[in-house]
Amino acid sequence: MYLTDRAAFIIITGGENMYPVEVENALIAHPDIRDAAVVGHEDPDLGQRVVAFVEPIRPVENEVAWVESVNRRLREHLAGYKCPREIRLVDQLPRTPTGKVMKRDLL
């Protein structure tokens, strides 16, 4: 089975096209992450930068160390340009009544 995103969700960073679902799948595979959403934020140098919003399974005591550990794991599984430039921890991702993540609220 192949999962694809809508064309509107394609992130173009540094001239490279990437689909957020690939990064989201890598994040969700992490044992300390419950859920994740990835969006492209405007960037003056890259066009867009990859930003991940993640729900940790447990409270995070040292956010800097935790994010560094997540980034190390992502670099093992993804091309460098696909790795988030920023990871933001959230208690809960914004969702519609049907459970779909509202990515427009993360922009």
Side-chain angles (χ1 to χ4, degrees):
M1 173 172 25
Y2 293 93
L3 297 176
T4 59
D5 257 339
R6 295 175 180 241
F9 291 139
I10 292 175
I11 298 171
I12 302 172
T13 182
E16 300 283 348
N17 294 354
M18 51 115 8
Y19 289 93
V21 70
E22 185 177 359
V23 182
E24 291 166 352
N25 288 341
L27 285 164
I28 293 169
H30 191 286
D32 294 330
I33 295 176
R34 178 185 332 277
D35 202 0
V38 174
V39 296
H41 279 223
E42 296 302 316
D43 185 278
D45 297 323
L46 300 171
Q48 291 180 308
R49 71 182 187 281
V50 180
V51 179
F53 293 82
V54 298
E55 290 180 20
I57 289 178
R58 290 174 284 294
V60 174
E61 291 181 23
N62 183 339
E63 186 173 332
V64 173
W66 189 88
V67 167
E68 287 174 1
S69 120
V70 170
N71 275 325
R72 276 193 303 276
R73 183 177 170 121
L74 288 177
R75 285 189 194 102
E76 294 173 3
H77 300 285
L78 298 172
Y81 72 92
K82 294 180 181 180
C83 292
R85 299 254 175 185
E86 184 179 349
I87 295 178
R88 298 182 189 176
L89 304 181
V90 295
D91 293 330
Q92 188 172 6
L93 293 169
R95 295 189 177 276
T96 65
T98 59
K100 183 177 177 182
V101 174
M102 296 187 303
K103 289 189 176 186
R104 67 181 173 273
D105 289 354
L106 300 174
L107 297 174

